[in-house]
DNA sequence: GAGTTTGAAACT
DNA sequence: CAGTTTCAAACTC
């Protein structure tokens, strides 16, 4: 089982995907028709929130569709690798139109897709488990081939079980699922990514923005991956970057 | 890194 | 609403 130290170590990873699913977009949600000052300021990092913007790689959406994770999360592209990006201050007009159109299709488009667990504060032991059980994907997934045990599945990606909202086929992402259990208790190696993702998702979901003094263990490793493996040097996963 | 798979989002 | 297409990420090798 993961000890507290592992949790702390993982905090830095700060899963973007999970964040995108959960966070309320700041710029977009301003439902008020005309706030006197429509501040054109890019992703303000509200103090405390580490601006670990994961970069998108959009090429054909101009980052003005929900396909773009940046746009979907209500943030401007910043440091992304996108092509023809309009999700920036220089294209504020187009961006606003896109937001409007998106909201017209789905008024909840920029709201969290995951209904947070009713109550935080669990006993330390299985808080990950609790979060995992209680949260629900508002729309549910519609997976057909992933068994909802890969990150293709939004439920799995958010580290939550599939719910009655889901219309997935051959779902294995439910409590008591052997396959799912195998991911966490399996023979080590291959499932490392999932363990790490799950652990991290649980972390960000549980304490992500609730303010938990960060204890950076290490900055960027190998320049890229901001991952920090929970098993550190003892990891058996061949792809582990540390 | 290139190529494939996947399912949400978009479109018809 | 259902079927299809588009899209970018997740995944595989
Ligand atoms: Zn983008
Ligand atoms: Zn972006
Ligand atoms: Zn962009
Ligand atoms: Zn699913
Ligand atoms: Zn699901
Ligand atoms: Zn499922």
């Amino acid at each position: 089982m993961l000890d507290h130290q592992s949790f702390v170590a993982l905090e830095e990873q700060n899963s973007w995907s999970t964040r995108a699913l959960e966070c309320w977009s700041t710029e977009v949600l301003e439902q008020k028709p005309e706030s006197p000052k429509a501040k054109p300021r890019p992703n303000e990092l509200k103090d405390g929130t580490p601006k670990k913007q994961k970069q998108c790689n959009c090429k054909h959406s101009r980052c003005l569709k929900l396909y773009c994770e940046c746009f979907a999360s209500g943030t401007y592209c910043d440091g992304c690798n996108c092509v023809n990006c309009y999700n920036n201050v220089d294209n504020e007009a187009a961006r606003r139109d896109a937001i409007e159109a998106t909201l017209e299709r789905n008024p909840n488009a920029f709201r969290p897709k995951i209904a947070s667990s009713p109550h935080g504060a669990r006993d330390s032991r299985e808080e990950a488990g609790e979060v995992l059980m209680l949260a629900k994907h508002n729309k549910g997934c519609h997976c057909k081939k992933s068994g909802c045990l890969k990150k293709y599945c939004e439920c799995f990606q958010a580290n939550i079980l599939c719910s009655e909202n889901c219309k997935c086929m051959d779902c294995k992402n439910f409590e008591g699922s052997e396959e799912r259990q195998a991911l966490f208790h399996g023979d080590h190696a291959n499932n490392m990514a999932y363990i790490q993702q799950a652990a991290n998702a649980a972390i960000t979901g549980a304490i992500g923005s609730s303010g938990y003094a960060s204890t950076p263990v290490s900055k960027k490793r190998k320049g890229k991956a901001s991952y920090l493996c929970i098993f550190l040097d003892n990891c058996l996963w061949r792809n582990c970057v540390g």
Side-chain angles (χ1 to χ4, degrees):
Chain A
M1 191 47 202
L2 305 169
D3 58 21
H4 179 265
Q5 194 169 5
S6 299
F7 281 161
V8 172
L10 269 171
E11 186 176 346
E12 185 183 349
Q13 183 180 337
N14 220 348
S15 157
W16 165 261
S17 299
T18 300
R19 240 186 165 63
L21 293 174
E22 292 183 353
C23 83
W24 295 69
S25 63
T26 51
E27 285 94 350
V28 168
L29 277 186
E30 311 292 285
Q31 299 282 13
K32 8 186 145 175
E34 277 330 306
S35 182
K37 43 181 99 176
K39 20 190 147 166
R41 49 95 165 83
N43 314 329
E44 93 283 44
L45 46 104
K46 30 181 55 181
D47 56 289
T49 306
K51 53 337 178 185
K52 246 189 195 147
Q53 292 256 142
K54 181 190 171 182
Q55 308 125 308
C56 69
N57 302 283
C58 307
K59 290 179 170 49
H60 301 107
S61 69
R62 293 177 310 169
C63 298
L64 290 184
K65 300 282 180 67
L66 292 176
Y67 295 130
C68 173
E69 294 192 19
C70 302
F71 181 80
S73 70
T75 65
Y76 291 83
C77 283
D78 179 21
C80 297
N81 310 304
C82 36
V83 175
N84 237 337
C85 181
Y86 278 58
N87 185 27
N88 49 48
V89 208
D90 295 337
N91 300 87
E92 192 57 48
R95 182 174 185 270
R96 248 187 17 206
D97 290 351
I99 292 173
E100 186 179 6
T102 301
L103 283 174
E104 194 168 337
R105 285 184 211 108
N106 173 14
N108 297 321
F110 298 102
R111 300 189 142 181
K113 288 179 171 179
I114 308 294
S116 309
S117 64
H119 288 332
R122 308 280 158 191
D123 79 272
S124 57
R125 187 176 51 84
E126 275 286 47
E127 68 180 12
E130 298 289 341
V131 169
L132 182 146
M133 314 295 268
L134 299 179
K136 276 196 310 189
H137 193 294
N138 292 331
K139 288 198 296 189
C141 68
H142 303 77
C143 308
K144 295 182 162 84
K145 313 178 68 171
S146 70
C148 299
L149 289 182
K150 297 193 174 182
K151 300 218 296 189
Y152 295 127
C153 171
E154 291 197 350
C155 298
F156 181 85
Q157 178 166 54
N159 192 36
I160 61 179
L161 298 176
C162 284
S163 69
E164 61 276 7
N165 298 345
C166 300
K167 298 179 177 66
C168 35
M169 296 176 49
D170 305 321
C171 182
K172 293 166 180 128
N173 185 26
F174 57 89
E175 190 176 14
S177 158
E178 295 290 329
E179 295 88 341
R180 181 176 166 280
Q181 194 71 358
L183 282 182
F184 297 87
H185 292 19
D187 312 345
H188 45 50
N190 287 351
N191 308 321
M192 207 49 221
Y194 297 137
I195 296 175
Q196 178 145 355
Q197 143 66 21
N200 180 70
I203 289 311
T204 55
I207 63 178
S209 56
S210 66
Y212 190 82
S214 97
T215 311
V217 175
S218 161
K219 274 315 156 200
K220 44 186 94 163
R221 327 176 42 98
K222 296 190 173 182
K224 175 116 193 224
S226 55
Y227 264 53
L228 199 53
C229 178
I230 56 179
F231 290 95
L232 300 173
D233 295 337
N234 299 326
C235 184
L236 301 175
W237 188 32
R238 63 187 171 89
N239 293 337
C240 185
V241 295

